[in-house]
Amino acid sequence: GAGVSQSPSNKVTEKGKDVELRCDPISGHTALYWYRQSLGQGLEFLIYFQGNSAPDKSGLPSDRFSAERTGGSVSTLTIQRTQQEDSAVYLCASSPDRIEQYFGPGTRLTVT
Amino acid sequence: GQQLNQSPQSMFIQEGEDVSMNCTSSSIFNTWLWYKQDPGEGPVLLIALYKAGELTSNGRLTAQFGITRKDSFLNISASIPSDVGIYFCAGYNSGGSNYKLTFGKGTLLTVNP
């Protein structure tokens, strides 16, 4: 079946602009996660959704970051007023059981 | 919070060699997972381990859930060039409202043909 998809695959934006990153999870997966991965680094947890609600937003780096999930499916991560330090790969994962997480290919964000 | 120590940080091996890497924790996990990330891709789940002492294989990959529940090992036999990538371990504890995986920082594997 279809895996997790993310769009766009690459995004180059100017400092100060807003960006939206999209995640389409595997159908039926109730849990959804966003992570950030800087060059050569590990996975930094950002936010977790169970259904449409986000019990844990503690990983969001600042109030410029927000995320929503609609219909228990698609999720959007929004970064307002982007800064150069926001440049990274943003990964989305979904899970049927909060244990086995299945990742998308990521969105590579470059802020110039 | 819980932390995972993954070692080695990087490995350079010749094609055909066997590889071993491990992950240790100061606290117990009741599930261990191993992921592989190819360059430019998201991590892919390789093996999930649910029982202490469990030994599970997936092709040339074998992973073990340590008997103390504080460690896990991944072995790759007869490495090939496509084994190149970053290998992440992750631990999970069920119960309550827990929902997060704790990830190691990864082992970068380079295979010389």
Side-chain angles (χ1 to χ4, degrees), chain A residues 5-23:
Chain A
S5 61
Q6 292 186 244
S7 61
S9 55
N10 282 284
K11 177 72 177 179
V12 180
T13 190
E14 291 180 353
K15 177 181 172 181
K17 295 286 179 68
D18 298 351
V19 295
E20 282 190 356
L21 313 179
R22 177 186 168 106
C23 172

Side-chain angles (χ1 to χ4, degrees), chain A residues 33 37 56 98 100-101 104, chain B residues 35 37 42-43 50 92 99-100:
Chain A
Y33 303 79
Q37 187 175 35
D56 186 354
R98 304 187 304 186
E100 296 187 9
Q101 294 185 21
Chain B
Y35 286 84
Q37 185 174 26
Y50 291 95
Y92 178 86
Y99 50 84
K100 276 187 189 177

Side-chain angles (χ1 to χ4, degrees), chain A residues 40, chain B residues 6-13 19-22 85-87 105-111:
Chain B
Q6 193 170 347
S7 65
Q9 283 188 317
S10 61
M11 303 181 74
F12 297 84
I13 63 169
V19 174
S20 290
M21 59 190 78
N22 70 82
I86 304 175
Y87 291 80
K105 294 190 182 300
T107 294
L108 174 61
L109 178 63
T110 302
V111 179

Side-chain angles (χ1 to χ4, degrees), chain A residues 62-74:
Chain A
S62 74
D63 58 8
R64 296 185 295 104
F65 287 71
S66 64
E68 65 175 12
R69 189 179 185 194
T70 56
S73 182
V74 172

Side-chain angles (χ1 to χ4, degrees), chain A residues 27-39:
Chain A
S27 178
H29 283 193
T30 56
L32 186 146
Y33 303 79
W34 283 96
Y35 294 87
R36 181 167 70 175
Q37 187 175 35
S38 301
L39 187 63

Side-chain angles (χ1 to χ4, degrees), chain A residues 33 35 37 41-43 45 48 56 58 91 98-105 108, chain B residues 31 33 35 37 40-43 45 48 50 88 92 96-101 103:
Chain A
Y33 303 79
Y35 294 87
Q37 187 175 35
Q41 299 299 309
L43 298 166
F45 168 81
Y48 155 70
D56 186 354
S58 64
L91 292 161
R98 304 187 304 186
I99 303 174
E100 296 187 9
Q101 294 185 21
Y102 297 87
F103 285 82
R108 180 174 300 276
Chain B
T31 302
L33 305 100
Y35 286 84
Q37 185 174 26
E41 301 291 330
L45 181 62
Y50 291 95
F88 291 100
Y92 178 86
S97 59
N98 192 42
Y99 50 84
K100 276 187 189 177
L101 293 180
F103 282 91

